[in-house]
């Protein structure tokens, strides 16, 4: 049986979703710093596309022609002029859609995301603010053949998001009350169904984004941190020593408050049990009992 070559290996993608101003970009910056993902904000890519105008014509796959002679140089010049008009128009179209809080056609956004992924040497990405509707989602999966590892969903009340956006002060054309209301509507009607779709597949990790930045990041860290493994083949006391060293005092405190227990599965993976069938597991000191489960 053949093995999967490096070239065929799919990157790990986390979709970062949440309402406008829920703090996606802020948290992505901390994830990048702490976990080394590459952050791709679909909104930022679209804004960059507007700025770069026709230079980015290549993004959208127009083929360059070869130049043999003077006549072809003229043809090529004409071609570039037409191309510039075309891409200026695309830039204007994106700008207008952003002003109206509308969703830019999937084709454009996916091309930009694909290009950014290809240009990166990283193999783990945070895709922020995309997919924004069912069509975005289906098109991305069909074109890239990538399914997200999970969706990091920032849940925040509208009043809080509105307050945050209105004090953001980055000069964005869509950070005004009229467009904000439109963006909230689009989020409710088109983007939440995407979250619901992934939720039905058990892929949504929801975070209370109304809390202060640092507290939100604590919750994010708990989700992103790779689950540590324990060599469960060792004697029970040794395994428990390792378990104790992994469980920080804070987690221990939180877990007893929430009746969540860290246990070791048969395969040596640390697992959080909300409800454990073993009575002994109700006390985290007896976590080793879960080795039997
Ligand atoms: N937990 C938080 N508490 C208070 N303010 C926050 C919090 N998180 C982010 N902010 C601030 O709120 C504003 C919006 O945050 P951010 O740009 O990260 O949101 P976003 O979800 O990426 O927004 P958008 O979807 O509109 O791009 C920023 O000014 C940011 O500093
Ligand atoms: O996948 C996307 C992402 C964004 N847009 C448009 O951009 C603005 C701003 O997006 P932010 O995520 O808030 O930066 C958004 O309202 C859309 O108009 C998009 O169409 N598709």
């Amino acid at each position: 049986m053949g093995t999967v070559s490096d070239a065929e290996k799919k990157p790990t993608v986390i979709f970062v979703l949440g309402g406008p101003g829920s703090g996606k970009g802020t948290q992505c910056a901390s994830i990048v710093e702490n976990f080394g993902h590459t952050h791709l904000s679909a909104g930022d890519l679209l804004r960059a596309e507007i700025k770069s105008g026709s230079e980015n014509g290549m993004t959208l796959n127009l083929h360059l022609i070869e130049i043999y002679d003077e006549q072809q140089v003229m043809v090529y010049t004409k071609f570039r002029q037409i191309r510039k008009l075309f891409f200026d128009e695309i830039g204007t179209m994106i700008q207008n859609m952003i002003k109206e809080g509308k969703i830019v056609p999937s084709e454009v956004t996916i091309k930009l995301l694909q290009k950014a992924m290809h240009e990166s040497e990283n193999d783990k990405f945070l895709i922020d603010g995309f997919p924004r509707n069912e069509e975005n989602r289906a098109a991305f999966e069909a074109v890239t053949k990538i399914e997200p590892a999970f969706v990091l969903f920032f849940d925040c009340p509208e009043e809080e998001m509105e307050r945050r956006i209105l004090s953001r002060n980055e000069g964005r054309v869509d950070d005004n009350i009229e467009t904000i209301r439109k963006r909230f509507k689009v989020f409710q009607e088109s983007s939440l169904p995407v979250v619901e779709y992934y939720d039905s597949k058990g892929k949504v990790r929801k975070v209370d984004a109304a809390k202060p930045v640092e507290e939100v990041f604590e919750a994010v860290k708990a989700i992103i941190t790779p689950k540590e493994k324990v060599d469960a083949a060792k004697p029970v006391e040794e395994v428990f020593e390792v378990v104790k060293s992994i469980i920080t005092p804070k987690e221990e405190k939180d877990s007893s408050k929430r009746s969540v227990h860290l246990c070791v599965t048969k395969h040596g993976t640390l697992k959080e049990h909300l409800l454990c069938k073993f009575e002994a597991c109700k006390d985290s000191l007896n976590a080793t009992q879960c080795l039997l489960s």
Side-chain angles (χ1 to χ4, degrees), residues 9-222:
K9 254 196 222 155
K10 292 223 168 65
T12 302
V13 165
I14 300 172
F15 285 149
V16 183
L17 299 178
S22 56
K24 301 180 294 296
T26 304
Q27 295 298 326
C28 282
S30 298
I31 300 172
V32 167
E33 216 174 282
N34 287 270
F35 296 96
H37 293 72
T38 291
H39 175 209
L40 301 178
S41 154
D44 284 350
L45 289 172
L46 289 168
R47 282 182 286 271
E49 185 70 15
I50 297 169
K51 268 201 195 140
S52 65
S54 59
E55 277 166 41
N56 261 2
M58 290 299 287
T59 316
L60 302 173
N61 254 352
L62 271 183
H63 302 292
L64 288 177
I65 56 168
E66 270 184 49
I67 308 164
Y68 298 98
D69 55 34
E70 222 170 278
Q71 198 197 350
Q72 283 208 320
V73 170
M74 278 170 59
V75 171
Y76 181 63
T77 309
K78 201 82 206 151
F79 170 76
R80 285 185 65 102
Q81 286 166 352
I82 293 167
R83 194 180 67 169
K84 183 171 178 345
L85 283 176
F86 177 65
F87 287 106
D88 280 352
E89 226 162 81
I90 288 195
T92 309
M93 179 268 285
I94 298 172
Q95 170 89 347
N96 290 338
M97 296 196 87
I98 289 180
K99 256 194 220 155
E100 287 303 310
K102 290 184 181 159
I103 300 171
V104 171
S106 302
E107 225 188 326
V108 174
T109 319
I110 292 171
K111 275 265 151 67
L112 294 170
L113 286 167
Q114 274 189 306
K115 180 171 182 271
M117 287 170 85
H118 286 141
E119 283 172 1
S120 166
E121 294 196 342
N122 209 340
D123 64 352
K124 46 183 193 177
F125 297 92
L126 300 166
I127 298 193
D128 162 7
F130 180 94
R132 266 181 141 82
N133 60 15
E134 269 298 296
E135 196 245 331
N136 274 180
R137 180 198 66 71
F140 181 85
E141 289 188 3
V143 171
T144 65
K145 313 274 184 273
I146 295 171
E147 273 207 36
F150 57 87
V151 172
L152 191 54
F153 171 51
F154 290 104
D155 189 29
C156 195
E158 281 190 4
E159 312 80 71
E160 175 62 16
M161 297 195 284
E162 188 179 304
R163 243 192 316 275
R164 290 181 189 175
I165 296 176
L166 289 176
S167 48
R168 178 155 52 184
N169 264 331
E170 284 178 4
R172 277 175 53 165
V173 291
D174 53 348
D175 280 357
N176 58 76
I177 193 65
E178 201 187 321
T179 315
I180 290 170
R181 298 268 152 84
K182 289 179 183 166
R183 288 157 72 195
F184 285 161
K185 192 162 185 289
V186 169
F187 177 70
Q188 286 287 334
E189 290 174 359
S190 304
S191 310
L192 273 181
V194 176
V195 177
E196 282 155 14
Y197 168 84
Y198 284 119
D199 199 25
S200 74
K201 299 184 110 198
K203 285 198 166 189
V204 173
R205 311 285 180 267
K206 184 159 123 178
V207 172
D208 178 358
K211 294 187 172 164
V213 173
E214 299 72 22
E215 281 182 43
V216 177
F217 189 58
E218 281 305 310
V220 168
K221 262 200 302 200

